[in-house]
Amino acid sequence: MTSLDDLPLRANLRGQIPYGAPQLHVPVALNVNENTHPIPPAVAVDIARALTDAILTVNRYPDREFTPLRDALAGYLGHGLTRDNIWAANGSNEVLQQVLQAFGGPGRSLLGYAPTYSMYSILASGTDTRWLPGGRDADYELSPETAARWVHETSPDVVFLCSPNNPTGTPLSLVTIAAVYDATPGIVVVDEAYAEFAPVGTDSALTLLAGRPRLLVSRTMSKAFAFAGVRLGYLAADPAITDALRLVRLPYHLSALTQAAAVAALAHTDEMLAMVDDIRVQRDRLVTELRGMGFSPLRSGSNFVLFGGVAEPRVVFEALLAEGILIRDMSIPNHLRVSAGTEAETSAFLTAIARLSPSAE
């Protein structure tokens, strides 16, 4: 049987492992930071109606410029943004890939602050961009000084800042983002996939866009909007950036069905985001109760919690899985990650892990 080693694969892809968390059918799946709350039925009806209308047009190519969607996304983000500031693709991963296709590539480099979203290094490999893993401060925080120092030491062409950071959940200050931007003449991307879960009143990096033409803020509808299966990511930036991304996008890259579903969902923003407050409650509950059990949860501005104090992460992971509860082993020593689920799912996890906690020993 032919293997990868037998194929004339690019040298920088040899030995790489594809991205992917376990996809197991279990009663409580809390491993990939999905929104476990379903779309409200009344909203689902409107989305289905929009899809019914769109399906009648699929004999033709979709709107290449996805103008109504860009208008809807700009309206949702606010901050004076217009359609000219907005770009979208099939999930934020494709948005980030297009950024690297336009601004990375052979002879160029991407700086990220490890541990961070594992797709960053994979996207770098796929675009033949050199991956530069910078470090973090204690408890995986990232100060302006540390962030800027790594920029000065590595001179990257592109910097990815995950805010809040995945997999640690740690928030990122606007001061740190500004420090990175000021330290580099290159592209700076702030990945705000989990921005809607931040504490109420938290300022987004969107507030920094004015006067910073090399700053990009990436978002997704997968998390807070419970739209993971639709695959719709987007970014806000200077119009020159969106023009650059048109140079690398595939023709008609967003299907008519994706566009219709996203526009319909954005028309019901309040209903779609109604579950965010409950997810915050469950996230904070995870932090409080895990700490009470003797674990060391990190502060989190996302819909998940990374917690330390786990003597044997794989043993705990397998024990929970045996009870039908799937969380994530991120291969960070003595740590595991769990997504905030519904109240019932969160309770099931907390009840099970209490039997495995340091305080139970």
Side-chain angles (χ1 to χ4, degrees):
M1 180 180 293
T2 302
S3 71
L4 282 178
D5 292 336
D6 300 316
L7 299 176
L9 198 64
R10 280 192 352 228
N12 71 313
L13 295 181
R14 291 193 177 277
Q16 297 291 322
I17 299 173
Y19 174 84
Q23 287 189 304
L24 304 174
H25 296 289
V26 295
V28 180
L30 300 174
N31 66 320
V32 288
N33 306 336
E34 296 162 318
N35 187 330
T36 58
H37 297 61
I39 292 173
V43 179
V45 169
D46 275 0
I47 294 173
R49 187 178 297 116
L51 289 171
T52 298
D53 292 340
I55 201 73
L56 299 175
T57 72
V58 295
N59 59 309
R60 303 289 188 179
Y61 285 117
D63 176 4
R64 184 176 59 238
E65 291 301 310
F66 46 96
T67 305
L69 175 57
R70 286 160 56 220
D71 284 338
L73 289 168
Y76 168 64
L77 291 179
H79 296 282
L81 298 170
T82 71
R83 70 176 68 158
D84 294 334
N85 300 107
I86 304 299
W87 188 253
N90 294 282
S92 58
N93 288 329
E94 184 176 60
V95 171
L96 298 176
Q97 181 182 59
Q98 290 173 342
V99 170
L100 290 180
Q101 287 174 318
F103 300 105
R108 296 193 172 191
S109 59
L110 167 65
L111 171 66
Y113 297 86
T116 192
Y117 184 31
S118 59
M119 271 303 300
Y120 295 163
S121 61
I122 295 173
L123 291 171
S125 292
T127 57
D128 206 7
T129 305
R130 185 161 58 100
W131 168 243
L132 303 170
R136 290 179 170 268
D137 300 308
D139 294 327
Y140 305 111
E141 301 282 345
L142 187 59
S143 67
E145 296 76 18
T146 296
R149 175 171 55 80
W150 278 103
V151 172
H152 292 307
E153 290 181 0
T154 61
S155 300
D157 297 282
V158 184
V159 181
F160 280 0
L161 293 164
C162 199
S163 175
N165 187 50
N166 179 12
T168 64
T170 42
L172 186 67
S173 73
L174 297 186
V175 177
T176 296
I177 295 169
V180 169
Y181 186 89
D182 291 342
T184 176
I187 295 294
V188 177
V189 181
V190 183
D191 181 356
E192 290 192 337
Y194 301 93
E196 287 90 349
F197 300 107
V200 175
T202 301
D203 284 332
S204 162
L206 294 169
T207 61
L208 299 176
L209 283 175
R212 294 181 173 90
R214 296 176 286 103
L215 182 64
L216 291 62
V217 181
S218 172
R219 292 281 189 97
T220 181
M221 291 184 71
S222 293
K223 310 302 181 180
F225 274 85
F227 244 39
V230 175
R231 311 307 302 130
L232 196 288
Y234 57 102
L235 64 70
D238 188 272
I241 296 292
T242 61
D243 283 343
L245 298 182
R246 285 182 175 87
L247 299 175
V248 298
R249 60 103 177 264
L250 294 175
Y252 310 104
H253 71 289
L254 275 179
S255 80
L257 301 183
T258 299
Q259 294 181 43
V263 170
L266 287 162
H268 293 276
T269 293
D270 290 343
E271 300 99 310
M272 292 290 283
L273 297 182
M275 70 281 282
V276 167
D277 284 343
D278 181 59
I279 293 170
R280 287 195 194 103
V281 169
Q282 299 308 317
R283 174 201 65 206
D284 295 343
R285 179 184 170 204
L286 285 168
V287 171
T288 299
E289 297 197 25
L290 285 168
R291 184 176 294 121
M293 294 176 194
F295 292 109
S296 302
L298 300 180
R299 74 183 186 114
S300 176
S302 60
N303 69 336
F304 59 85
V305 174
L306 182 75
F307 59 100
V310 187
E312 297 180 275
R314 200 65 198 175
V315 171
V316 173
F317 173 88
E318 296 290 351
L320 291 170
L321 184 58
E323 296 192 37
I325 300 168
L326 180 61
I327 63 170
R328 191 77 175 268
D329 182 354
M330 304 300 302
S331 299
I332 299 176
N334 305 118
H335 286 74
L336 290 169
R337 193 189 72 189
V338 59
S339 305
T342 62
E343 182 178 5
E345 290 171 328
T346 304
S347 295
F349 162 74
L350 289 169
T351 298
I353 200 165
R355 295 190 289 270
L356 306 167
S357 69
S359 61
E361 295 177 355

